[in-house]
Amino acid sequence: MIITKELAQKWFTLFAEKVIQDKEQLSEYDRIIGDGDHGMNMARGAQQLLSSWQETSPVLLAEVFKHAAMKWISGVGGASGPLYGTAFLEMAKAIGTKEELKHDDLINVIKAGFDGIKKRGKSDVGQKTMLDLWAPAIESLEKGELTTATLIIALTKSNELKATKGRASFLGERSINEVDPGAASSKLFFEALLEAGDFNGD
Ligand code: ADP
Ligand code: MG
């Protein structure tokens, strides 16, 4: 499966629609281990992205990611805005002038996004953040096993972790067995990728 500009735009459109649809649920997760704004934050960026695409569509593949980065950085706020924004921007940079991505290119691009989150968040896997969804999703994609089922398993596993980064870390032990809102929204990002096309095969 080759990722073209059209497919990438479908990916981000589906992601934005899912975020808007699950807004309440995401905020509910954040109400339990954070401050309850994750759904609202994310839906704001998602809505802005969808609206901007009704006026001007991206011309190049990297622009799809750049547009999303701009909306997340300027419109989302909280911790997640700059983190997702950085991820999308690093993905755009990794794409450069490429007009399409093969399976291996896609993995590298997603890894660049993942590294961007780590660097910007000064965080790593195991701290119960969005990274704990991105890491297993990348691993599944590398094995050609990225499915809705592996994403559910990844989120379930991240639930078991104790938060040591971000707002949820204030809860310490009490964050165990709760859903990290950023991991839940990241699951939507990879579900959107799956729905946009079959990315496990070549
Ligand atoms: P805020 O915590 O500022 O209210 P949000 O509620 O929008 O921001 O986002 C919270 C999510 O951001 C968390 O669930 C977590 O996944 C992610 N997050 C927070 N800090 C970090 C970090 N340093 N590195 C990676 N992800 C983080
Ligand atoms: Mg919050």
Side-chain angles (χ1 to χ4, degrees):
M1 175 57 84
I2 308 272
I3 308 235
T4 57
K5 183 205 76 180
E6 284 72 23
L7 255 165
Q9 200 173 359
K10 191 172 161 199
W11 174 11
F12 275 88
T13 300
L14 286 167
F15 173 51
E17 288 170 354
K18 283 173 184 295
V19 163
I20 292 164
Q21 203 178 344
D22 285 8
K23 181 172 117 173
E24 291 306 326
Q25 178 71 77
L26 294 172
S27 283
E28 182 54 34
Y29 291 144
D30 198 28
R31 222 164 278 136
I32 298 168
I33 64 167
D35 57 355
D37 63 355
H38 188 62
M40 225 173 44
N41 290 344
M42 294 287 287
R44 199 163 45 236
Q47 192 54 60
Q48 285 180 12
L49 184 65
L50 294 179
S51 304
S52 79
W53 279 349
Q54 271 165 9
E55 283 163 28
T56 28
S57 268
V59 177
L60 305 168
L61 176 59
E63 264 177 19
V64 175
F65 296 80
K66 239 180 247 168
H67 287 182
M70 275 156 45
K71 297 301 172 200
W72 253 261
I73 289 167
S74 67
V76 174
S80 58
L83 291 168
Y84 272 104
T86 303
F88 300 155
L89 200 60
E90 290 303 320
M91 291 167 96
K93 277 197 222 158
I95 294 165
T97 56
K98 282 198 196 81
E99 281 175 31
E100 51 179 47
L101 304 176
K102 297 198 178 66
H103 191 250
D104 286 351
D105 299 324
L106 173 67
I107 291 169
N108 288 334
V109 164
I110 297 177
K111 277 184 178 166
F114 172 79
D115 288 341
I117 299 173
K118 276 200 334 197
K119 211 167 155 193
R120 173 83 206 214
K122 298 188 177 66
S123 46
D124 211 338
V125 290
Q127 297 180 312
K128 196 184 182 92
T129 69
M130 54 176 81
L131 290 172
D132 293 297
L133 200 291
W134 281 65
I138 292 168
E139 230 173 85
S140 298
L141 195 60
E142 280 179 322
K143 291 192 214 150
E145 288 172 1
L146 184 67
T147 61
T148 316
T150 53
L151 287 172
I152 292 171
I153 293 168
L155 186 63
T156 308
K157 279 197 176 155
S158 79
N159 295 349
E160 294 162 11
L161 297 168
K162 182 174 100 178
T164 56
K165 235 352 182 221
R167 230 177 261 283
S169 64
F170 304 143
L171 261 79
E173 300 283 333
R174 280 186 292 141
S175 66
I176 297 172
N177 291 329
E178 302 294 351
V179 180
D180 176 66
S185 59
S186 295
K187 176 168 165 278
L188 301 179
F189 184 60
F190 289 97
E191 272 172 7
L193 170 64
L194 281 176
E195 275 174 43
D198 170 20
F199 295 101
N200 286 314
D202 280 326

